[in-house]
Amino acid sequence: MKKFTLFVAAMFFIFGSIVANAQTSREVVYSDDFESYTAGAHIAQSIPDRWTTWSNAPGTAEDGVFSADQASSGTLSAMLSGTNDNVMKLGNKTSGFYEISWKHFVPTGFAGYFNIQHFEAPGNEWACEIYLDDNGTGLMHAGGANAATFNYPYNQWFDVKFEIDLDADLAKFYINAALVHEWQFSLQAQGQAGTKQLGAVNFYAGASTGMTPKYYIDDVEYSKVTQQFIYQDNFDSYTAGAYVAVTIPQYWTTWSNAPGTNEDAQFSAEVAQTAPLSVKVEGTTTDLLLKLGNKTSGKYQVSWDMFVPTGKAGYFNFQHMEAPGNEWAVEVYFDNNGTGYMHAGGDNAATFNYPMNAWYHIDNVIDLDNDWAEFYINNALVHGWQFSLQAQGQAGTKQLGCVDFYAGATSGMTPTYYFDNVSYAVLVEGSQDPTIGVNTSAIITTVEQGATYSQVLPITNIGEGTLNFEIVRSFEAPTAADAPSGLVPSGTVGKIAPDFAVDPTPVRGEPAPSNRDVTLHYDGENYTGIGLTNGGQWRAAVRFPASMMTQYQGMYLSSVEVYINESGNGHKLQVYDMGSFNVPGPGTMLREQVFDPLPGWNTLNLVNPVFISGKELWVGYWVDQPAGVYVVGADAGPAIDDGRWISTGPGWNYLNLDYNWNIRAVLTGTAEPVWLTATPSSGSLTAGQSSDITVAINATGLPAPVVRKAKLNIRSNDFANELVSINVWITVLVGLDENGQQAYVSMYPNPALNNINLKSNININRISISNSLGQVIYSATVDQKETKLDISHFKAGMYYVSIETDNGTATQKLMVD
């Protein structure tokens, strides 16, 4: 009988103080694609150092042959049929972590079988047995008879992989990267006690009763994987009472990024898994974050030891993003009676028991490449789930951000717990992050009034991971827009995923005001009020994306209309700039304005209106809400995501109720022509791939002579450079029509440093240049259609260039750097 192990490493490592930035090391012990051998030759006879047969009789009827009938790569594979019984020797390993993989093919009408032996000399102990039946189904004995059934791709090549962790005595079996089964590796296939040793793989021409065995294998690899740490700490080199995030800022922070405050945990000598120190989480304010780096690919293990004293309770969560409060990936509660439960891919996804008043081991294995996570207590699997889902089951982001050790607990319980021996390890190295490559030089040109201009802007992914990007255009105001207030967001509340409630006795609101120039909103008329169940400070907002805002560039956000169901303790109108491409939520706060509302619709006039540049805009308000009060008005749905953003801390997410906020943005003024486009405006690029962006300028409807300024804001998932802005400056050429002839004059570059060029389709008679005070500082006769001027002696600043032709005089602004 034969058996294999699935890896879930419960890492009992010897901890030093800190080990940082380590990577996984993979040593390939043996690999073979069988291309260097001869079709028809025997396997063990050709490769005696790695292969033998069950009876150690290479070259006999037990020995399989190389075949050109099928191949996953090249032209040859190894075929097992008839009486073949080959053994791949693995070396009787008793410690370490190993991966064994190959390509497998079972042709139509046939079946297959293989096993793993605990000893290189076969027949002593079957570690697992796998049957591949002739209908595309399979069965395995591993740690017990009939431990798992599965399907496999029949009459096709598929991937087989085993992960065997001898130190943790755990093993996993995968088909095409999907986990089939995991078990205690030292057990024999039928479940009897056995030997924790990795001996051999037995490729036997066996099959379920009544089926004919025949199959092929190719591209075999046997590797030893050394698990190394990104971060590892037993906390024993620090000082009792010192703050964790203050002491180790490269890996730890707090929810509000406030090390050394009451959010920061302290080292404690009260109890420790490895003496003398651990970290204590207590009270209602401790909220410590372990930063994991926003990983988007690879496989990782985050582990620690945990202790919940008698009568107390505990809690932790993972965030999809290192900036917390955007998406809860999982929440785990440890109640004060030794039971626990977790939200992971759905509410109350799993329950468990844990040893109270004793140290126990926690392992979290997150496989981003396969979008799968597993949670273990003392090496026993509690739950597995799709990691990109949020804790309550909503769609989320496939990203590993941070662990939040929060002083939270089930309602009515007192949170106090300790953790020790933290490790963060790479199990499978992820691809390097994508890196954007783009020329950031300003685009400066002149365009004839009514004409068009275009140029190509290449964007290249010079990194490894897939680069996702989008281009947002923003236009500058004809005069400087009002400066931001500089105020910062107010207030945060607890770090357990927020719970909102609907007013049980709402009074329907009256219709909203209707005397607006342009009103942006997602809501219908008021239907109810919504509040945070236990009260607290939180924010409601709506997002108007660039795709909506561009057509209104040049207007101003002059007022906001909100429906207040019931008044809270405090209210602040808030307007935000464009947010991050990678982290949900708005960007810089542009305006914050205190208001005192009345129940019903309130029109809030901005003291300083906000210029509409064409970028996305966030509009909402902050409220300090008592428990049992339902402040924020909402419609009857159905929900539109951008109409229901919430924040109960630093991060933002969608309200998990089917309503939209009664928040409306009123724009006044006149929209300007949208003269700049970029096509395509978004895309995805694999490593080394490029995309040519066509940047087009259309001067139709633009007055002349005028200098227009805009930006191409290229946002991407290059975390080191997530926003690249390219200035676009155009000078609209003056049309001179005094004698019935259309004439154009161009001046470039602008801005300029050393020289400027003047060019016209008719004769330029004379030019003069004045400074900002109107004083003429240069004049000359030209008497030709083009000329070049030396301005290297000009001071930096704005100048006015007058160009005289037979058709009249044109004046253009010149910026000298």
Side-chain angles (χ1 to χ4, degrees):
M1 303 173 90
K2 319 174 187 185
K3 152 177 184 176
F4 175 88
T5 8
L6 167 64
F7 145 19
V8 138
M11 292 192 255
F12 295 106
F13 297 103
I14 299 173
F15 287 82
S17 179
I18 294 181
V19 177
N21 299 322
Q23 297 180 345
T24 295
S25 172
R26 180 181 299 273
E27 175 192 353
V28 178
V29 180
Y30 167 66
S31 66
D32 211 330
D33 61 5
F34 306 129
E35 294 304 306
S36 62
Y37 310 114
T38 303
H42 289 286
I43 300 169
Q45 193 171 42
S46 303
I47 321 170
D49 57 333
R50 185 56 61 184
W51 293 84
T52 186
T53 71
W54 189 268
S55 303
N56 195 24
T60 67
E62 281 189 339
D63 202 352
V65 297
F66 301 113
S67 170
D69 295 344
Q70 300 285 345
S72 175
S73 63
T75 59
L76 295 180
S77 64
M79 181 178 73
L80 285 302
S81 63
T83 59
N84 297 156
D85 200 354
N86 279 96
V87 174
M88 185 172 77
K89 298 179 282 186
L90 303 178
N92 289 331
K93 304 297 184 182
T94 58
S95 65
F97 179 82
Y98 297 88
E99 289 186 358
I100 311 162
S101 63
W102 64 86
K103 302 284 189 179
H104 206 102
F105 185 99
V106 181
T108 301
F110 294 95
Y113 167 92
F114 57 87
N115 68 67
I116 291 183
Q117 299 279 308
H118 278 151
F119 294 86
E120 199 170 272
N124 295 285
E125 292 179 10
W126 280 253
C128 69
E129 295 185 275
I130 289 90
Y131 291 82
L132 303 167
D133 288 350
D134 60 8
N135 60 357
T137 65
L139 167 71
M140 70 183 298
H141 310 310
N146 303 311
T149 58
F150 55 89
N151 295 313
Y152 73 94
Y154 196 43
N155 201 43
Q156 299 177 43
W157 285 101
F158 61 92
D159 293 318
V160 169
K161 185 173 78 167
F162 290 97
E163 293 175 338
I164 301 166
D165 186 349
L166 294 167
D167 298 325
D169 195 13
L170 291 164
K172 292 184 179 179
F173 170 53
Y174 299 85
I175 290 179
N176 283 344
L179 175 64
V180 174
H181 185 55
E182 60 183 289
W183 70 101
Q184 182 182 336
F185 184 69
S186 61
L187 295 177
Q188 297 185 55
Q190 301 295 325
Q192 313 97 309
T195 306
K196 191 180 69 173
Q197 183 170 284
L198 179 59
V201 183
N202 176 209
F203 294 100
Y204 173 50
S208 297
T209 302
M211 299 183 188
T212 304
K214 182 179 180 179
Y215 60 92
Y216 303 82
I217 62 171
D218 202 354
D219 299 329
V220 173
E221 184 172 297
Y222 171 40
S223 299
K224 181 178 182 180
V225 179
T226 303
Q227 299 160 3
Q228 297 185 19
F229 299 100
I230 298 173
Y231 170 69
Q232 174 190 7
D233 210 334
N234 64 8
F235 309 122
D236 292 334
S237 64
Y238 309 119
T239 303
Y243 286 108
V244 177
V246 171
T247 306
I248 321 170
Q250 64 269 46
Y251 289 105
W252 297 90
T253 187
T254 72
W255 186 270
S256 302
N257 193 26
T261 68
N262 59 5
E263 284 189 339
D264 202 348
Q266 293 173 290
F267 302 112
S268 172
E270 294 170 7
V271 62
Q273 206 282 333
T274 57
L277 297 179
S278 65
V279 174
K280 184 177 183 180
V281 179
E282 63 177 339
T284 59
T285 59
T286 304
D287 207 348
L288 185 67
L289 301 184
L290 173 62
K291 298 181 281 188
L292 302 178
N294 288 328
K295 304 294 187 184
T296 57
S297 65
K299 185 175 182 180
Y300 304 88
Q301 183 159 317
V302 186
S303 305
W304 62 86
D305 295 311
M306 190 161 172
F307 184 100
V308 180
T310 301
K312 304 299 183 181
Y315 167 92
F316 71 86
N317 69 64
F318 274 73
Q319 300 278 307
H320 279 149
M321 296 162 194
E322 200 169 271
N326 297 286
E327 294 181 9
W328 280 253
V330 57
E331 296 185 275
V332 184
Y333 291 80
F334 300 86
D335 285 351
N336 60 9
N337 60 358
T339 66
Y341 60 97
M342 63 190 296
H343 309 313
D347 213 17
N348 298 309
T351 59
F352 55 87
N353 296 311
Y354 74 95
M356 283 209 71
N357 209 46
W359 285 100
Y360 54 94
H361 190 70
I362 297 289
D363 286 304
N364 304 275
V365 179
I366 299 100
D367 186 346
L368 294 166
D369 296 329
N370 293 300
D371 195 11
W372 189 252
E374 293 171 344
F375 171 58
Y376 296 81
I377 295 178
N378 284 341
N379 305 330
L381 177 65
V382 174
H383 185 54
W385 72 98
Q386 181 183 336
F387 184 70
S388 62
L389 295 177
Q390 297 184 57
Q392 305 294 327
Q394 313 99 307
T397 306
K398 192 180 68 172
Q399 183 170 287
L400 180 58
C402 66
V403 186
D404 177 21
F405 294 98
Y406 174 50
T410 299
S411 180
M413 300 183 187
T414 303
T416 298
Y417 63 94
Y418 305 80
F419 64 89
D420 203 351
N421 299 333
V422 170
S423 68
Y424 175 29
V426 180
L427 304 179
V428 176
E429 189 71 25
S431 61
Q432 293 182 10
D433 290 336
T435 302
I436 191 169
V438 62
N439 185 347
T440 59
S441 298
I443 298 172
I444 301 172
T445 189
T446 54
V447 184
E448 296 177 355
Q449 189 177 34
T452 60
Y453 165 86
S454 67
Q455 76 174 59
V456 172
L457 177 69
I459 295 178
T460 305
N461 179 9
I462 57 178
E464 289 189 2
T466 298
L467 177 74
N468 301 313
F469 71 90
E470 71 171 2
I471 303 174
V472 176
R473 296 160 291 164
S474 61
F475 300 81
E476 289 192 16
T479 57
D482 298 308
S485 65
L487 299 178
V488 296
S490 302
T492 61
V493 296
K495 314 318 173 294
I496 293 174
D499 181 22
F500 285 89
V502 180
D503 188 345
T505 58
V507 177
R508 306 289 180 253
E510 73 278 7
S514 57
N515 54 335
R516 290 82 60 115
D517 288 4
V518 173
T519 302
L520 306 178
H521 66 108
Y522 298 99
D523 64 319
E525 293 304 332
N526 175 257
Y527 177 77
T528 190
I530 294 174
L532 195 62
T533 301
N534 296 318
Q537 299 173 358
W538 60 284
R539 292 173 282 175
V542 294
R543 169 184 175 265
F544 302 117
S547 58
M548 181 185 295
M549 299 305 298
T550 301
Q551 62 185 312
Y552 302 117
Q553 69 93 9
M555 299 182 74
Y556 286 84
L557 173 67
S558 57
S559 63
V560 176
E561 292 165 357
V562 300
Y563 190 96
I564 301 298
N565 186 62
E566 299 177 276
S567 295
N569 293 331
H571 313 79
K572 297 178 185 178
L573 173 66
Q574 296 178 333
V575 181
Y576 298 88
D577 202 354
M578 178 175 69
S580 166
F581 184 78
N582 302 299
V583 179
T588 304
M589 186 183 290
L590 301 175
R591 302 289 187 274
E592 183 173 73
Q593 189 171 308
V594 174
F595 67 96
D596 294 317
L598 295 173
W601 283 101
N602 291 254
T603 297
L604 311 176
N605 295 312
L606 273 73
V607 175
N608 294 311
V610 176
F611 176 73
I612 304 302
S613 69
K615 292 189 291 183
E616 74 178 37
L617 189 70
W618 293 68
V619 179
Y621 57 101
W622 167 92
V623 59
D624 183 1
Q625 172 229 312
V629 174
Y630 306 89
V631 174
V632 182
D635 70 3
I640 300 169
D641 284 345
D642 275 335
R644 55 175 181 148
W645 284 94
I646 57 168
S647 172
T648 60
W652 290 77
N653 208 330
Y654 301 129
L655 176 72
N656 60 353
L657 299 171
D658 195 23
Y659 304 107
N660 302 292
W661 304 130
N662 288 134
I663 298 175
R664 304 181 177 187
V666 179
L667 310 184
T668 57
T670 302
E672 294 287 326
V674 179
W675 52 266
L676 175 65
T677 59
T679 308
S681 59
S682 63
S684 295
L685 301 174
T686 58
Q689 188 179 11
S690 293
S691 178
D692 284 341
I693 307 301
T694 299
V695 179
I697 294 166
N698 186 341
T700 301
L702 296 182
V706 172
V707 175
R708 295 273 173 160
K709 298 180 181 180
K711 281 185 172 65
L712 296 174
N713 303 286
I714 306 175
R715 310 198 302 166
S716 75
N717 61 335
D718 176 355
F719 286 98
N721 203 19
E722 71 172 11
L723 176 62
V724 176
S725 292
I726 300 174
N727 288 314
V728 181
W729 288 20
I730 66 168
T731 300
V732 181
L733 304 183
V734 180
L736 305 174
D737 201 18
E738 296 176 8
N739 294 330
Q741 178 184 2
Q742 193 76 338
Y744 296 98
V745 180
S746 63
M747 178 177 67
Y748 58 93
N750 190 5
L753 182 61
N754 295 314
N755 299 282
I756 59 170
N757 298 283
L758 298 172
K759 186 175 182 180
S760 177
N761 63 336
I762 62 173
N763 201 60
I764 300 173
N765 298 328
R766 185 175 182 80
I767 64 171
S768 63
I769 301 176
S770 303
N771 61 21
S772 59
L773 300 177
Q775 300 166 327
V776 176
I777 60 172
Y778 177 88
S779 64
T781 300
V782 178
D783 198 24
Q784 56 189 24
K785 291 184 177 181
E786 56 184 280
T787 187
K788 183 175 183 179
L789 302 180
D790 180 4
I791 59 167
S792 59
H793 57 288
F794 283 22
K795 295 180 179 179
M798 179 69 74
Y799 296 84
Y800 298 89
V801 181
S802 294
I803 307 145
E804 299 178 15
T805 72
D806 291 340
N807 282 24
T809 300
T811 301
Q812 298 188 31
K813 293 180 181 179
L814 168 66
M815 176 64 72
V816 176
D817 289 337

